[in-house]
Amino acid sequence: MTSTITLAQHKKNALNIVFIGNSITQGVQLADAATEAPPATAVAYLQKQKNLDAVNFSNQGHSGYTTLDFLPGTDTFTKVEQAASNFTDKDALLIFSIKLGTNDSAIQGPHGAPVSPDNYQKNLKTIVDKLLADFPKAIVIFQHPVWYSPNTYNGGKYLQEGLSRLQSYIPMIDGLVKTYATINPQHVFVGDTKAFAYFEKNHLTDLIPENGKQGTFYLHPNKKGAEALGRFWGIAIDNVVRRYF
């Protein structure tokens, strides 16, 4: 049986957000990830919105992680659920913001890579099914993956093959959300869809140049890029929660 969220369930317009992701979510290479990583900048945007009274968050981004690392039964998944349970405001609307796929798309290196589009979708559904079973009033927002340069090759091998696979994940996310609209309506949504094209266009100014095995590549946002990505996520989250607040 599904649980439909209504405004009456919340004494005030407050959010508890758990951000699930990889190094981009974690904010690697930023001087102060606690305040500069995309989750922090997303929350900074949300805190300025007049329809919201309070926003609390937990950054559960882990460098190099794939969907396999977040499957139920893993220590990482347990920590995600612990983060969700540890918020002090129990009346706030709980949101899981998920941005995974970069490492899944690699040719080799990260855990389980390369992950096929079908398995990527299957893993996401396994994660979300368990989250909603344990937190039936929560909502899940999938942020589309972010562009990386087709010569990306560091500890993992990505290249054009990986980038193409990453793009193939996007319709799998959208299709999964459509499935949930039928089996568990009003609980799973598509969030940001614009960051991929933004970073492809603005990678020289918003992504960090890194030395790789096939030259300088672009993968991780710099401070400007993290702020931009956080704003994309913040806008997307706000657009979803406005139907409740």
Side-chain angles (χ1 to χ4, degrees):
M1 182 177 179
T2 61
S3 173
T4 302
I5 300 168
T6 63
L7 182 59
Q9 290 176 309
H10 308 285
K11 296 179 181 179
K12 62 181 180 179
N13 298 352
L15 304 178
N16 291 334
I17 309 174
V18 179
F19 290 91
I20 297 171
N22 46 46
S23 58
I24 294 171
T25 300
Q26 182 181 341
V28 299
Q29 301 190 45
L30 295 172
D32 184 10
T35 61
E36 296 175 356
T41 58
V43 169
Y45 172 85
L46 289 166
Q47 288 173 332
K48 296 177 182 177
Q49 306 312 303
K50 294 181 180 180
N51 59 308
L52 295 173
D53 298 318
V55 184
N56 306 293
F57 79 101
S58 174
N59 186 343
Q60 294 295 314
H62 295 274
S63 181
Y65 278 23
T66 66
T67 53
L68 283 79
D69 294 297
F70 282 96
L71 288 174
T74 62
D75 181 62
T76 311
F77 184 86
T78 298
K79 289 179 179 178
V80 165
E81 292 211 320
Q82 287 174 344
S85 299
N86 287 342
F87 289 114
T88 56
D89 185 354
K90 304 304 182 183
D91 294 316
L93 174 59
L94 176 61
I95 296 173
F96 294 97
S97 173
I98 300 177
K99 203 288 295 178
L100 290 168
T102 299
N103 296 309
D104 296 71
S105 73
I107 298 170
Q108 63 184 39
H111 180 202
V115 178
S116 71
D118 286 343
N119 284 335
Y120 173 77
Q121 185 185 65
K122 179 181 178 181
N123 291 344
L124 289 180
K125 186 174 186 301
T126 300
I127 293 166
V128 172
D129 283 349
K130 181 60 173 171
L131 289 175
L132 292 181
D134 293 344
F135 302 92
K137 295 181 180 180
I139 64 174
V140 176
I141 300 176
F142 285 115
Q143 316 291 357
H144 277 189
V146 178
W147 179 91
Y148 57 76
S149 62
N151 67 327
T152 297
Y153 192 169
N154 48 18
K157 187 178 182 181
Y158 297 81
L159 307 179
Q160 180 59 55
E161 178 185 330
L163 181 60
S164 297
R165 186 160 33 248
L166 184 70
Q167 290 176 282
S168 75
Y169 292 163
I170 292 174
M172 305 308 285
I173 292 172
D174 296 346
L176 184 58
V177 171
K178 289 181 180 179
T179 297
Y180 278 109
T182 300
I183 66 175
N184 198 349
Q186 302 302 309
H187 282 275
V188 183
F189 303 90
V190 174
D192 170 66
T193 62
K194 299 178 180 179
F196 188 99
Y198 173 86
F199 283 104
E200 182 176 15
K201 180 180 179 181
N202 298 286
H203 63 276
L204 293 178
T205 59
D206 286 57
L207 297 180
I208 299 169
E210 302 178 59
N211 295 322
K213 297 179 181 179
Q214 289 201 6
T216 301
F217 68 91
Y218 296 86
L219 170 64
H220 297 106
N222 56 24
K223 183 177 180 179
K224 179 176 182 292
E227 184 174 355
L229 184 56
R231 182 177 175 85
F232 281 124
W233 291 358
I235 290 171
I237 293 169
D238 188 44
N239 285 340
V240 171
V241 301
R242 280 182 182 271
R243 69 191 65 199
Y244 305 116
F245 299 149

